[in-house]
Amino acid sequence: MPLGHDGAAVTTRASIAAGRPDPRDPADLVDRSLGGLMAAAARLSWLVLGLALIVTAAAGFYIVGHLRMETDMNALLSADLPHRKTQAQFDAAFPQLGDNIVIVVDGATSGRADKAAAALAAKLRARDDLFKHVFHPDGDPFFRKNGLLFLEVDELHEMSDRLADAQPLLAVLAKDMSLRGLFDLLSLASTSVADGESDPAQLVRAFDRIADTILAHIEGRRVELDWSELMQAKPAGRSDLRRFILAQPYPDYSSLSLAEPAIDTVRSAVAELGLAESIGVRVRLTGGIPIRADELRSVSDGVGLASAISLVVVTALVVVGLRSVRLVIAIVLTLGMGLVVTAGFAALAIGHLNLLSVAFAVMFIGLAVDFGIQIGLRYKENRIAGLDHRQALRRSGSTAGAVFLAALCATIGFLAFVPTAYVGLAELGIISAAGMVIGTTGALTVLPALLTVMRPGIAAAAQHRSSRLRWRIGVIERFPGTICVAALALGLVSLVALPTIRFDADPIALDDPDAESVQTYLDLARDSSTSPYMANVVAPTLDAAAALARRLDELPVVDSTITLQSFIPQDQDEKLQIIASTALFLGPALETGRDLPPPSAAENRAAAARFLSDVRKLAASTRVGPLAEPARRLAASVERLRADAAWEAGGNALDASLFADLPRALEDLRLAMSAGKVALADLPADLRERYVASDGRARVEVVPRENLTDRDALRRFVSQVQRVAPDVTDTPVLLLEGGDAITGAFVQAGAFSFVLIASLLVAVLRSIVASVLVLLPLALALALTVATMAMIGMSFNFANIIALPLLLTLGVAFGIYLVLRYRETAGVAELLRTSTPRAVLFSALTTLVAFASLMASSHRGTAGMGALLAICLTLALCCTLVVLPALLALGERRRADRRNEGKA
């Protein structure tokens, strides 16, 4: 008795050997019933095929009009989860903050960035049929007028001093915006430094930037001089050259296009305005909508490609495994019909596919073809044994029983997803469970009908194939204990890697890294001031928001907080006095009317000569200090300009590079000199609506101090903020609590499926030992999977974690096929000579290939899921075909030893 010591197992073995059924064995009753069903389908083949075609056609017709794509990422988790409810309340209070296209405009100069962003925002506002809101804060007159009030008092004093020193120079340029005026200004500045009237350090940046612009002109490049930067106390940083536009479209979550018309409109507007890097402007799109659009495109394209690859490669593997074209055609036709009917069920029962359930096609192909291979190879084996077509089908009932049990286990495993809070996974479970029912029904009815109609020929060479397994059989029979001990050792060693495995909760890690939206998102995430990982809290009133912000600012994990009151400048009276005094002495420099006629080439050359003379005197002066090298570079660039043959012809182009930005910079400065006291009522309406809801509730924006792409930092930030503000929401909370909900869902699904499948195995196999033997190789495969992940640096994420419950759901079938066939044979050696191990090998390979084809996707989540499933199934196959037979052989050896001891 290979499995257990119950009398029923002995009776079953004897009945099979005698070729008669055992009426006391429920499993034999199932086998006979399924064998009878297959024989009946063969007798009524044309009727079965006719009904199958009608159902398939009806399903295909229904799919066209009713199956849509659900593209709302938030819908993947239950709306009843506490953090989802909080987020929904926040979205209702501030609807303009969600689902935005974030347009990032970078300019070579601040002027370029301003002009480009203003023109693009104006163009998008004209398309109110596509955009609900277009928010361009940098272009609002309020900030242009009152921007200096947001500087610190010390910074404002420094700027005022700098402008005071530059006033004579600005006055020269304001009257004469030409090369003549610029060289006169440079001469005046050089003389002022040489005479000790000016600080040379304040001219270093100006000399360098002007030299860069002239040299670029000589080399045929256009680099505009940023006059706004020269007026500031510090060099322009990346944030000074960057502008943002937030455009909120009308997304269609029932379509794969999502908001493609709006995105295309933005890109068209960029092209129409000529905003390109060739003119010093770079425009990129990111934010929730573009990232989702790119993700949907990569997922749908990837799954479509994977389905095509898997169908082709699976068909090729089936051809190699079965070596009968007609048998292969019958299996593939059955598979195709089942796939269409399963999609029809999805359309009828759910009505849509989500980013997870869209992978059902690959899963169906990988699993349903397994049923066809098992039955097809058993049918082929029976035909080789001399049975006619109908007898071969009826005798295939024992394999049909194993297929039925494997499908039942897979169905239970998939249905274990349903009670979880991970709605996307639950929908995948419903569709896949239905697919198992449909696939099994097709294998037991449509496949026999097709075999009857097509009558595939059987290759005689198949009779000798078992001889190739002799060496493997010998190893397993001779060294079962060694194999089992080695497997146990591998499993125990692999468990050491378990604590090193991490879960990556950030969904951006799953997206295509080459997508513009993802690259821009990661670029912004590196700067805390533009990080997308900010949290939000809603307070009852604006005063309550201010009090809450003060408490949050005390937390070590918080960098800063922002409320509407953050836009009311501090120390306004003192700052306004500084601005007023600056405006008083700066007056003439802000008048941009040209008093002098345009210079001639001779006047430009003369002015250049005067500058060169003055700068040489400066270089010889002891006061040159840090200005020595910039002065040398500027003088060298002017010398090269004078020697350029295109000096006169290129004058206008150089003027444009040097002075295009100056009128705007002077206008902005003139406007800033008119700043007035700011109160809440003076803030722009668009800004107020983003921080105070229509019912008076106020928003507190919480900026993290640490980089929240690290999960430990993310958990610290959320947990500490929640102690002060339990209702905190937005990206950090959604990432952390959403990740916890998803991992909890998989743990729940895994526990449910394990308990239910184990109970089913015990009930059907009627032996705890046999059930353990089916599950042990899967436990080993799981431990080896974890160790493999640790070795290659792979983490679990929202997509690939599905591999764990699927390992149980799919891998249990391999053990079921071997254990049930083992019960029909005289021992392990005979088992390995049957068609079942070969069927397990090829069915596992087809399933493995189907999932591995997902690796062709550009979407990292889909590709990673395919990679981990391929690893899982490879290890499960090896453990099942090596360790399970070794366990069976070890049991045989021990029973034989006990019998020998009894005889002695």
Side-chain angles (χ1 to χ4, degrees), residues 24-42:
R24 295 186 300 170
D25 187 0
D28 189 75
L29 178 61
V30 172
D31 292 347
R32 285 185 285 114
S33 300
L34 295 177
L37 175 62
M38 294 172 68

Side-chain angles (χ1 to χ4, degrees), residues 86-238:
T86 303
Q87 183 66 33
Q89 293 169 358
F90 176 77
D91 291 340
F94 299 96
Q96 64 273 52
L97 298 182
D99 292 334
N100 276 290
I101 300 173
V102 179
I103 306 169
V104 183
V105 181
D106 291 305
T109 67
S110 58
R112 278 291 173 112
D114 281 334
K115 290 177 185 177
L120 183 56
K123 228 174 186 351
L124 298 182
R125 287 193 183 101
R127 294 301 307 270
D128 55 4
D129 57 320
L130 291 175
F131 299 101
K132 302 177 192 176
H133 304 281
V134 176
F135 183 54
H136 175 215
D138 298 299
D140 194 290
F142 169 83
F143 290 105
R144 293 182 62 202
K145 177 181 178 181
N146 300 294
L148 294 180
L149 292 175
F150 293 94
L151 296 177
E152 297 295 332
V153 172
D154 291 343
E155 291 178 319
L156 192 55
H157 270 301
E158 186 176 353
M159 172 172 277
S160 178
D161 292 342
R162 188 178 184 84
L163 290 174
D165 291 340
Q167 190 275 338
L169 307 180
L170 290 175
V172 170
L173 273 183
K175 301 301 181 183
D176 188 7
M177 291 187 194
S178 67
L179 286 175
R180 177 186 59 197
L182 178 64
F183 289 137
D184 286 345
L185 178 149
L186 294 174
S187 292
L188 181 62
S190 299
T191 302
S192 178
V193 171
D195 293 343
E197 297 174 358
S198 298
D199 181 1
Q202 292 188 349
L203 290 173
V204 168
R205 195 172 352 126
F207 275 36
D208 274 334
R209 296 295 186 268
I210 294 170
D212 291 340
T213 303
I214 294 174
L215 288 172
H217 170 76
I218 294 171
E219 295 168 1
R221 298 179 290 112
R222 179 172 179 180
V223 174
E224 284 190 4
L225 184 60
D226 189 349
W227 288 94
S228 295
E229 183 205 11
L230 297 183
M231 295 177 190
Q232 294 173 359
K234 299 177 182 178
R238 186 166 59 172

Side-chain angles (χ1 to χ4, degrees), residues 86 537 548 551 718 721-729 733 737:
T86 303
V537 189
L548 178 60
R551 292 170 58 201
V718 173
V721 172
Q722 282 181 331
R723 294 192 194 113
V724 177
D727 291 334
V728 63
T729 188
V733 179
E737 299 195 0

